[in-house]
C-alpha cells in the first residue's frame, strides 16, 4: 500500500507515512502523467526512471506504473536495491558499517554517513534511497532478504554452494536462471537432487509472490550460518563463551548477557 488519500481525492505519496487508504491504486487514472507521478512519489521521484517507463511520452499506463513501484519495494538483495538508486558502488562500504537492508541506512549516524564520502550526484541518489528506506520501515517491510547460503543450508544443500558461486549465483533468485545442464555440473547426489527439486519449486512460488524475505525453512540453520546471515558473525566466539551452541540457546540469555555482547545500533536491530 503506497498511497494516502487527502480531501477531494488528491493522491500523494509520502515516504515514511503510516498506513495508506484502501483501494488507492484503483483511484489512479488509467494513464499516469508526470504531475501525478511526482505528487505520488514525493522525494522518491526519479527522472531517469520516469523517462524510461514513459519512453519520453510524459505518460504511462497505471499498471506499468504500479508494477515499477512494486519491483522497487521488493528488491531481492541490498545490492539490487542500491542498483535501483544507482549507488551500488557503495555496497562494500555500507556492508562494513553493518548495513544489510534498505531500512538500515536511515539509522546511520551523520559521522558514519560522512565517512562514505558521497559525491554531488550520489548525495541526490542517497537522499532518495533514505526516503525509500524510511517508507519501507513505515509499512513494516524491514526484514532483510534471505541470503543464498542460509537458504541452501536449510534445505541441506550447503555442499553445492561453491558450485553455484562458480556458476555466477550470488542470490537465491539467480537459481531460476539455471538450466538442467547447469544443475548437472553441481554433481548432486540422489537425495540432494530430490531436495533441490523441492527447493527450487518452492523458490518459484516465493519469487512470484515477491516474497524475497520468505521465512519458510526445510530445517533449522546452524547458529554460525544464522549469525552470518544477519551480519553478526563476530558474535560466534562471545556466544560460545556464554555456552550458546544452537539457535534455541539464545532464548536462555537474559538482558545482562545480551548487554555484554556490546552490540551497536544496527547490530541490535538485526539481533
Amino acid at each position: 500500500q503506497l498511497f494516502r488519500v487527502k480531501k477531494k481525492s488528491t493522491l500523494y505519496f509520502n515516504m515514511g507515512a503510516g498506513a495508506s487508504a484502501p483501494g488507492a491504486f484503483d483511484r489512479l487514472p488509467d494513464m499516469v502523467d508526470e504531475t501525478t507521478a511526482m505528487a505520488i512519489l514525493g522525494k522518491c521521484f526519479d527522472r531517469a526512471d520516469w523517462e524510461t517507463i514513459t519512453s519520453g511520452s510524459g505518460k504511462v499506463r497505471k499498471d506499468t506504473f504500479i508494477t515499477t513501484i512494486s519491483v522497487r519495494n521488493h528488491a531481492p538483495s541490498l545490492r539490487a536495491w542500491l542498483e535501483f538508486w544507482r549507488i551500488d558502488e557503495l555496497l562494500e562500504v555500507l556492508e562494513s558499517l553493518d548495513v544489510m537492508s534498505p531500512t538500515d541506512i536511515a539509522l546511520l549516524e551523520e559521522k558514519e554517513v560522512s565517512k562514505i564520502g558521497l559525491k554531488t550526484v550520489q548525495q541526490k541518489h542517497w537522499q532518495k534511497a533514505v526516503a525509500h528506506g524510511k517508507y519501507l520501515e513505515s509499512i513494516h517491510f524491514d526484514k532483510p532478504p534471505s541470503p543464498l547460503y542460509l537458504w541452501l543450508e536449510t534445505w541441506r544443500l550447503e555442499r553445492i554452494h561453491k558450485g553455484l558461486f562458480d556458476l555466477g549465483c550470488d542470490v537465491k533468485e539467480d537459481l531460476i536462471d539455471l538450466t538442467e545442464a547447469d544443475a548437472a555440473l553441481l554433481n548432486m547426489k540422489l537425495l540432494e537432487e530430490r531436495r533441490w527439486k523441492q527447493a527450487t519449486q518452492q523458490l518459484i512460488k516465493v519469487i512470484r509472490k515477491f516474497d524475497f524475505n520468505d521465512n519458510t525453512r526445510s530445517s533449522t540453520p546452524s547458529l554460525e550460518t544464522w549469525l552470518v546471515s544477519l551480519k553478526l558473525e563476530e558474535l560466534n566466539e562471545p556466544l560460545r563463551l556464554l555456552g550458546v551452541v544452537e539457535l534455541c540457546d539464545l532464548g536462555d540469555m537474559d538482558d545482562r548477557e545480551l548487554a555484554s555482547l556490546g552490540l551497536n545500533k544496527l547490530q541490535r536491530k538485526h539481533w
Side-chain angles (χ1 to χ4, degrees), residues 8-260:
K8 299 182 181 178
S9 298
T10 300
L11 290 171
Y12 76 108
F13 183 67
N14 188 356
M15 290 295 185
S20 303
F25 280 114
D26 296 332
R27 295 186 179 90
L28 282 171
D30 291 337
M31 295 297 294
V32 179
D33 61 21
E34 184 171 329
T35 300
T36 303
M38 292 181 73
I40 290 172
L41 297 176
K43 294 180 181 179
C44 290
F45 178 81
D46 188 79
R47 173 62 58 186
D49 276 356
W50 180 250
E51 294 298 330
T52 298
I53 64 176
T54 63
S55 299
S57 67
K59 293 184 178 181
V60 65
R61 288 174 56 89
K62 176 172 71 173
D63 56 352
T64 302
F65 182 70
I66 293 172
T67 299
T68 301
I69 295 173
S70 297
V71 169
R72 181 154 296 191
N73 284 351
H74 296 81
S77 65
L78 176 62
R79 182 179 63 182
W81 183 76
L82 292 171
E83 287 174 348
F84 283 148
W85 296 112
R86 299 191 295 287
I87 50 174
D88 50 293
E89 65 273 17
L90 303 180
L91 176 63
E92 186 174 345
V93 65
L94 289 175
E95 288 184 333
S96 72
L97 293 171
D98 293 318
V99 172
M100 62 179 298
S101 69
T103 58
D104 285 349
I105 66 171
L107 295 177
L108 292 175
E109 298 179 359
E110 289 186 13
K111 62 180 181 180
E112 293 172 320
V113 176
S114 64
K115 291 179 181 178
I116 299 175
L118 296 171
K119 300 175 183 177
T120 302
V121 174
Q122 286 178 328
Q123 289 177 351
K124 297 179 180 180
H125 296 166
W126 176 264
Q127 291 170 358
K128 294 177 183 180
V130 170
H132 189 225
K134 288 180 178 179
Y135 167 71
L136 293 176
E137 183 175 21
S138 75
I139 60 173
H140 307 294
F141 195 83
D142 57 354
K143 292 191 303 179
S146 177
L148 174 60
Y149 49 82
L150 178 62
W151 182 85
L152 287 171
E153 184 168 306
T154 58
W155 283 97
R156 302 186 302 285
L157 291 169
E158 61 269 27
R159 193 181 67 83
I160 65 173
H161 182 218
K162 184 181 184 303
L164 290 171
F165 182 80
D166 290 341
L167 287 171
C169 295
D170 293 316
V171 295
K172 61 183 184 299
E173 290 71 35
D174 289 340
L175 304 183
I176 64 173
D177 294 320
L178 295 177
T179 64
E180 290 185 4
D182 295 328
L185 297 175
L186 299 173
N187 297 315
M188 286 182 280
K189 300 175 182 179
L190 178 60
L191 293 182
E192 286 177 330
E193 288 180 349
R194 292 178 182 175
R195 293 197 296 274
W196 170 264
K197 184 177 180 180
Q198 290 178 323
T200 50
Q201 286 175 345
Q202 184 213 58
L203 180 60
I204 290 293
K205 296 177 182 178
V206 167
I207 291 174
R208 287 173 179 169
K209 292 190 299 181
F210 267 143
D211 192 4
F212 301 115
N213 316 80
D214 178 66
N215 282 327
T216 304
R217 299 282 181 265
S218 178
S219 62
T220 304
S222 65
L223 175 64
E224 182 178 359
T225 297
W226 182 79
L227 289 171
V228 170
S229 75
L230 295 171
K231 293 189 68 63
L232 296 170
E233 57 269 25
E234 64 191 64
L235 301 183
N236 262 314
E237 183 61 17
L239 287 174
R240 187 186 68 79
L241 293 175
L242 289 173
V244 175
V245 294
E246 296 181 1
L247 280 178
C248 58
D249 294 336
L250 299 176
D252 296 324
M253 293 177 60
D254 58 26
D255 291 341
R256 183 179 60 180
E257 291 159 345
L258 178 59
S260 72

